[in-house]
Amino acid sequence: MFIKSTNYIAGHTKLSQCPKDQRPEFAFLGRSNVGKSSLINMLCERNKLAKVSQTPGKTRLINYFLINENWYLIDLPGIGYAKVSKSQRADWEKMINSYLTQRKTLQVVFYLIDSRLKPQKNDLEFINWMGANHVPFVLVFTKADKPKPRELSQNIKTFKKTMLETWEDLPEIFITSANKKQGREEILNYIHSLLQEIVPEEN
Ligand code: GDP
């Protein structure tokens, strides 16, 4: 898919404020500092579209970007940043949970995982929560330029193995590097293929 236009529309704190135009939505989510802003910028070929955060976890909004006048890229706030209060975290969790479970136009969540790390308990917990709540998701291993190739494949292999302890099937998996522009075509083609499958609802 060719990205012709990207426009920041708005940041919302409530599901009720989100657009009502029924355009399909593709959401990006992961722990703070996972490389989400860098990935979004890389996908859209815009250096500062999503801010590469100086202070991790600062974004607290459901951010809407309109792509090609056709679909929304949703930048969700980073999960699990330690320096927020319990009540802030609870508010955020409520917002994200209602968005993920109730937003009818959400097509799929791109759940980002730092490829340098061994499987993290909170990533696995979040993934299991999405599964239990029927939230469709795929996995994106970020920063793939960082680990050595062997370590990268080992980390991904271990992640898959751990998931298969509780899951019957594995989701779609993408491997990306914002620095090397790796995985861009694959993700955009995947979004394109899902867009092709959407049959407009009759009024
Ligand atoms: P966010 O908090 O999830 O939005 O993460 P950012 O995009 O702000 O990235 C967090 C840090 O990881 C920054 O220092 C980025 O430069 C770095 N980073 C992000 N993506 C990559 C990548 O693909 N490769 C490498 N080597 N570093 C990355």
Side-chain angles (χ1 to χ4, degrees):
M1 179 176 22
F2 184 67
I3 303 286
K4 287 175 282 191
S5 64
T6 50
N7 289 303
Y8 179 66
I9 302 296
H12 299 298
T13 51
K14 285 194 191 108
L15 191 60
S16 58
Q17 300 165 333
C18 293
K20 313 238 178 316
D21 60 10
Q22 301 293 317
R23 285 185 171 99
E25 300 182 2
F26 297 85
F28 288 75
L29 175 66
R31 291 192 298 127
S32 293
N33 214 34
V34 71
K36 182 166 53 70
S37 311
S38 306
L39 177 71
I40 292 173
N41 291 338
M42 183 272 266
L43 291 175
C44 295
E45 289 184 312
R46 294 267 302 272
N47 282 344
K48 289 180 187 151
L49 189 66
K51 285 193 191 99
V52 176
S53 42
Q54 299 302 321
T55 320
K58 231 166 93 181
T59 338
R60 293 271 160 249
L61 300 167
I62 304 173
N63 281 310
Y64 272 77
F65 298 92
L66 179 60
I67 312 293
N68 294 349
E69 306 286 329
N70 186 28
W71 55 276
Y72 289 116
L73 184 156
I74 313 296
D75 181 6
L76 294 170
I79 316 174
Y81 183 51
K83 283 189 189 162
V84 297
S85 70
K86 264 196 180 163
S87 74
Q88 272 178 308
R89 190 175 288 190
D91 284 349
W92 176 81
E93 278 179 8
K94 230 165 89 184
M95 170 176 96
I96 213 86
N97 292 2
S98 64
Y99 173 81
L100 293 177
T101 55
Q102 292 170 42
R103 187 67 174 162
K104 295 211 166 58
T105 45
L106 173 65
Q107 306 302 311
V108 71
V109 175
F110 290 86
Y111 188 83
L112 276 50
I113 294 165
D114 191 328
S115 71
R116 298 173 303 176
L117 309 175
K118 304 262 173 297
Q120 300 288 299
K121 193 167 160 254
N122 37 15
D123 280 332
L124 290 160
E125 279 172 3
F126 202 90
I127 285 169
N128 288 341
W129 177 87
M130 287 195 288
N133 286 280
H134 311 289
V135 178
F137 71 93
V138 296
L139 299 180
V140 179
F141 288 89
T142 61
K143 308 187 189 181
D145 59 288
K146 270 271 173 108
K148 294 204 171 72
R150 245 192 83 169
E151 196 187 346
L152 174 71
S153 62
Q154 191 58 48
N155 284 347
I156 296 174
K157 204 171 138 191
T158 314
F159 202 98
K160 287 182 182 171
K161 210 174 138 206
T162 314
M163 263 191 92
L164 285 172
E165 287 167 12
T166 43
W167 290 73
E168 258 179 47
D169 305 304
L170 289 171
E172 196 90 32
I173 287 176
F174 298 93
I175 301 171
T176 65
S177 158
N179 291 16
K180 299 218 160 140
K181 269 198 155 188
Q182 182 187 347
R184 183 173 186 273
E185 291 283 298
E186 289 83 352
I187 289 185
L188 292 179
N189 287 344
Y190 180 70
I191 293 175
H192 181 73
S193 70
L194 293 185
L195 287 171
Q196 301 294 95
E197 283 172 20
I198 297 170
V199 181
E201 272 182 41
E202 284 186 37
N203 291 315

